Amino acid sequence: MPCASLHDLPEPPPGRTGWPWTESSAALAPTMPDGGQWPRVSVVTPSFNQARFLEGTLRSILLQGYPNLEYFVMDGGSTDGSVDIIRQYAPWITHWVSESDGGQSTAINRGLKLGSGFFATWINSDDMLERDALVTHLRQCGFSPGIVYVGDCLYVDESDQPLNVHRGRVHGFEDLVHVRTVWRAHERGHIVQPEVLFPRQLALEVGGLDSHNHRTMDYELWGKLLLAGAHFKYTHIRFGRFRVHPGQKTGQDWAQTQSLIDTAVRLVARASDLPGPVREAIVADLRAYEREYWLATGPLARLGLPEGVVLPLREMRARLRRRAVRLLRKAS
């Protein structure tokens, strides 16, 4: 797919400046010095009712300046104007669709299977690639089989204001499943999905994303890649932007934690190279961490009440608070 330029794409919305609105990446030459094609990279964006962020996502990928990029946008039947935005950018998108798709993981898998890239990633419709991400990666690291490349990730808020820069600390399988001491340690060692480039075919060979895992599908994929013998290499390149906002699934802390622990336990069960006592110790610590996390969620949990009682009570309290806020706004 030919590189898009700022002059090719639709005008940005009024008041939007900087990357990826009025700035673009430094473009590579159309071919390598020997006349061959640059290694193909496939990018997939799963999309569902994120119109307020979607255009920035699309532009951050299309303006990478990377000549051999294929881009798939898999929309799940949005009704918030997302499809109109996608149509504006359709001439520069390899393939897009808007239809019910069975969820985020299924949509990403479909995009990866449509692709033909040597390496791939997915960028959710509220996240972005950084300026010059792909060109800088190619120049500094290249692409080697069996390597999962992990860059740095800039956290931003709803208004694109920077919050902090993250760098993961997962170097092997045991790092990944040591949730307490690595993934969720005080200095978080987790991997943020937009900072990753992985071998597309290897990801498909290990089964891609689990279509039944709707919260920690990326964590599970990293585990499957490690178990398949992939090596994780940290590039120290500013590669992706992860947006923090109230509507995202990762903000649902307890449900996210349950999914993380359950996924880690499943991965440990598959780690046949680990001695049985080591696997048992890891699982015991995972379940202990889960219990401690639950008790820390509030006084009702610490009283020993079961989730089936506590969670509905919390939801009822949240609904009453939202109703009170609406009434106060009307009164004022």
Side-chain angles (χ1 to χ4, degrees), residues 193 220 252 284 295 308 320 332:
Q193 184 276 317
E220 185 170 11
Q252 300 165 5
L295 294 176
L320 290 173
S332 61

Side-chain angles (χ1 to χ4, degrees), residues 285-303:
D285 188 63
L286 288 168
R287 291 305 184 192
Y289 174 84
E290 182 181 34
R291 176 65 177 166
E292 293 163 16
Y293 193 98
W294 167 248
L295 294 176
T297 61
L300 293 178
R302 288 192 291 274
L303 284 173

